[in-house]
Amino acid sequence: MDRVELLRAARRVADFASTQGVPSTYSVRRSTYDHAGALLADAVLQAGLSYRTVVWPRVGRILKEFPQADRVSALICVIRNGRTEALLDWQHPTKVARFESLVDFLHASEVDTIEDIRRVLKTDTFCADLLLLKGVGLKTIDYMSCLVGIESIAVDRHIRTFAAKAGVDRDEYSFLKNAFCFAADLLSISRREFDAWVWSREANKQSAQLNLAF
């Protein structure tokens, strides 16, 4: 990776963010999960679905109605009792199977609590093995990292849209992740808070455009 090109891209992103009102200190701290069931449901359901109308209501319901499902060992019991669909409030087999596969993998890796998940997500070996699971990519790992408090950027369509607006024409995942990480450093704000700010900004713009269209 060309480091000079990477730093130029980071500067473009940081300068563009400054013109778009990125706060110098992010007043709204991005929350983290202390509940494994909610974290894994969020990570599995978020791909391709509306976060505000589909994902978050289900995650909020898990936090409220399944407080005991806060550990991987408890989620194993949910799976063995055939209650995964009820937990997720989701019937399509693809995401149900992906959730169960992720829980099984964590259980086999002797990962149980959110603190355990936070610890292993910082290790290259665990992340490399996690990538072997069907449906788990780099974005999923970085997204989960952000949700447990690890400083990272999850490169999704909103990050890519923002990069294009900033004049960055590269689209490789690692390049964009590093460019946005360095941009956050240049702006002296948390990387995961910058990730949340870009997501919120682009999602709100897209929602406004859809409302105008209808």
Side-chain angles (χ1 to χ4, degrees), residues 127-144:
C127 291
D129 290 341
L130 192 54
L131 284 172
L132 298 177
L133 294 182
K134 187 176 182 180
V136 175
L138 293 171
K139 190 191 83 171
T140 302
I141 292 175
D142 288 323
Y143 183 67
M144 288 174 62

Side-chain angles (χ1 to χ4, degrees), residues 4-140:
V4 173
E5 185 180 3
L6 180 61
L7 292 175
R8 284 176 177 163
R11 173 49 67 189
R12 287 195 187 99
V13 170
D15 289 347
F16 181 66
S18 295
T19 68
Q20 301 303 306
V22 65
S24 56
T25 56
Y26 207 78
S27 58
V28 179
R29 301 295 299 175
R30 186 176 187 176
S31 60
T32 58
Y33 284 119
D34 192 24
H35 188 290
L39 166 69
L40 300 180
D42 193 325
V44 167
L45 291 175
Q46 53 85 28
L49 298 175
S50 168
Y51 191 83
R52 288 171 177 158
T53 62
V54 179
V55 179
W56 177 243
R58 285 168 169 78
V59 173
R61 174 181 161 275
I62 290 172
L63 289 168
K64 182 179 179 181
E65 298 184 11
F66 295 87
Q68 74 282 6
D70 61 342
R71 290 175 173 247
V72 172
S73 53
L75 295 172
I76 285 291
C77 294
V78 170
I79 293 173
R80 289 174 179 168
N81 290 329
R83 297 271 297 160
T84 306
E85 292 183 2
L87 176 76
L88 297 177
D89 189 22
W90 192 263
Q91 281 74 48
H92 194 281
T94 299
K95 288 188 182 292
V96 170
R98 193 167 297 165
F99 179 87
E100 293 183 343
S101 174
L102 187 53
V103 171
D104 285 338
F105 174 80
L106 293 172
H107 187 61
S109 303
E110 300 181 345
V111 173
D112 193 35
T113 66
I114 285 289
E115 183 56 39
D116 293 338
I117 295 173
R118 185 181 299 115
R119 171 177 52 79
V120 294
L121 282 174
K122 295 178 180 177
T123 67
D124 292 339
T125 302
F126 178 83
C127 291
D129 290 341
L130 192 54
L131 284 172
L132 298 177
L133 294 182
K134 187 176 182 180
V136 175
L138 293 171
K139 190 191 83 171
T140 302

